[in-house]
Structures are given as C-alpha cells and as structure tokens.
Amino acid sequence: MMAAVYHGTPLTPREALLAAGARAYCVSYFRPDSVADVEAQAPFIMYDNGAFSYWMQAVRAGVDPMDAGRLDWSSYYEWLEDRLFVPGRWAVIPDKPAAPSQMNDGLLNEWPHGRSRGVPVWHMDGPLDRLARLCSQYDRVCLGWIGDPKREPVGCAAYRRRMDEVSTLMGNCWHPLHMLRGVAVGGDYPFASCDSTSLAQNHHRYRLRLFAGTPDEWSGVRAYADKLERMAA
C-alpha cells in the first residue's frame, strides 16, 4: 500500500506551489500563508494546528516547557469551520507538547468538529494502550516521534524498536495511521499517510538546471514532489 504524502506549506514563491499542481498538502495554522491557493488546487488537505511551532516559539522565549504553547484554540476551531467539511480534508486536533497524556485527553474533549474530521496525536513515548484507545475513538490517528531530530530522527533504531511494538498492537489489520514528518519511513510500514516539509524547504535546488530537458522552469519542482511521493510507496 502506498501512503499518501502531504506536502507542507507555505511553498514559495507562489509560482512553485501552483506549478506543483494538484497534490495532497498540509497547511499549518501557524503559517497559513498559502491556504487560498492550496484550497483552490488540492484534492486532499491536512490542516495542522501548529501546536509544536507555537510551543517551540514560547520555549525559545524562555517559557517553561510545561507552560509553553497555546491555551485557547477557539480561533483554530473557528478557522476550520468554513473549510473543513469538504471531501478530502481533515485536521489535527490540538495537543500540548511535553504534557502528560491526561492533559492532552482534556484537549480532545474540546474538539468541536467530530471524529471523522479530527485526528488526535499519539506521542510515541506515550502508553500503547492510549494509542489503542485513540484508534477505537477516531477514524485516523497521527503518530508523533519524540526523538531529537538530529541525533534520533524518524527512522532511527529507537524509532524502529517502538514501531515494532506498534506493529504488534496493530496486528494484521492496521488502523489508518498518519506518520508526522514521516516520508522517509512512509513505505516501511502500512501507514495511510505521512507528511513532509522537504518540498517547501528544498524545491529551489530542483529547478530546471538540475533536470535537463524538462519543459518549463518549475518542472524540477514537480519531479522532486514525485520523488518524495515514491518514497512512501
């Protein structure tokens, strides 16, 4: 099975996003710059709440990690009201990085848009029985790896040991799981989907000059997007 790859935005300049075409995209509430263009061309959209970005912003400002991040998500819920209930769209339910599972369960209770459009996050250092419970309550669940992105990135040995436990829990019939920042392992497990910011971060390296014979200036962007999607096959 091939996992759907949601490409992170904003993708700049605007011409690069338009040239990338009708794909699955992720729009963060922290950086919704490209939302109108994405909604005009994308058949599948994942809306991310940006909780990790808000949390990191506060931590860098010196706030204690347990107190960092947004407390009121009502503006995110309102932002979703007129855009979420279109076929092919879903949103990540807010959580609080570094917080215990009980606190994040409280945030799940605030979600106003139903189980089919909202997707909770299971942080992979959390109890496996919480993952099982989330799978029983929601149509899709996001997995969030908690290793240091430089020393223990997604796909490292520690990640794979934890995924061995997830695989045992899932058995022969995997619940639809989305691997956050997981395109590198999208084809290693039967994920329903994953996301990546690689296109937004690196597309400028894949302009026409790197793809001799391509028909237009942005063909390299499309070729790189295709390459990322093949990684999840």
Side-chain angles (χ1 to χ4, degrees), residues 52-221:
F52 183 76
S53 298
Y54 286 111
W55 180 78
M56 282 298 299
Q57 185 181 63
V59 169
R60 289 183 183 125
V63 178
D64 184 282
M66 280 300 297
D67 297 325
R70 292 178 65 98
L71 297 177
D72 181 6
W73 287 100
S74 56
S75 60
Y76 174 61
Y77 304 146
E78 292 168 3
W79 182 71
L80 291 170
E81 281 180 358
D82 294 332
R83 51 178 37 102
L84 186 56
F85 292 93
V86 172
R89 299 181 183 183
W90 54 276
V92 182
I93 299 174
D95 69 343
K96 190 174 178 65
S101 298
Q102 298 92 321
M103 186 177 293
N104 284 324
D105 283 343
L107 282 171
L108 295 181
N109 294 331
E110 297 177 6
W111 175 252
H113 297 310
R115 63 173 283 167
S116 64
R117 298 292 178 174
V119 180
V121 177
W122 178 70
H123 296 282
M124 293 179 68
D125 59 344
L128 279 169
D129 61 357
R130 183 172 188 261
L131 173 59
R133 175 164 51 83
L134 292 175
C135 288
S136 71
Q137 295 174 342
Y138 295 88
D139 293 357
R140 183 190 312 234
V141 176
C142 290
L143 303 191
W145 176 236
I146 41 70
D148 182 287
K150 293 184 178 178
R151 290 179 295 177
E152 288 189 316
V154 171
C156 70
Y159 168 85
R160 294 189 183 278
R161 286 194 297 270
R162 189 56 163 163
M163 281 304 303
D164 287 344
E165 297 176 321
V166 171
S167 297
T168 299
L169 176 69
M170 292 290 112
N172 294 325
C173 184
W174 280 53
H175 190 75
L177 299 179
H178 176 92
M179 188 65 232
L180 294 168
R181 299 177 297 280
V183 72
V185 296
D188 296 345
Y189 303 93
F191 293 124
S193 54
C194 57
D195 63 86
S196 170
T197 59
S198 291
L199 184 63
Q201 293 174 344
N202 300 308
H203 72 82
H204 61 283
R205 302 177 183 176
Y206 292 83
R207 296 285 290 275
L208 180 62
R209 61 187 177 84
L210 295 183
F211 287 82
T214 50
D216 64 70
E217 180 183 5
W218 300 106
S219 296
V221 176

Side-chain angles (χ1 to χ4, degrees), residues 3-62:
V5 176
Y6 287 79
H7 299 284
T9 61
L11 184 60
T12 57
R14 180 172 182 257
E15 289 77 13
L17 173 62
L18 298 179
R23 302 176 187 271
Y25 293 95
C26 173
V27 178
S28 173
Y29 186 57
F30 188 78
R31 286 292 307 275
D33 315 33
S34 303
V35 66
D37 287 326
V38 168
E39 290 175 343
Q41 73 185 40
F44 304 103
I45 303 175
M46 163 190 173
Y47 296 101
D48 182 34
N49 51 65
F52 183 76
S53 298
Y54 286 111
W55 180 78
M56 282 298 299
Q57 185 181 63
V59 169
R60 289 183 183 125

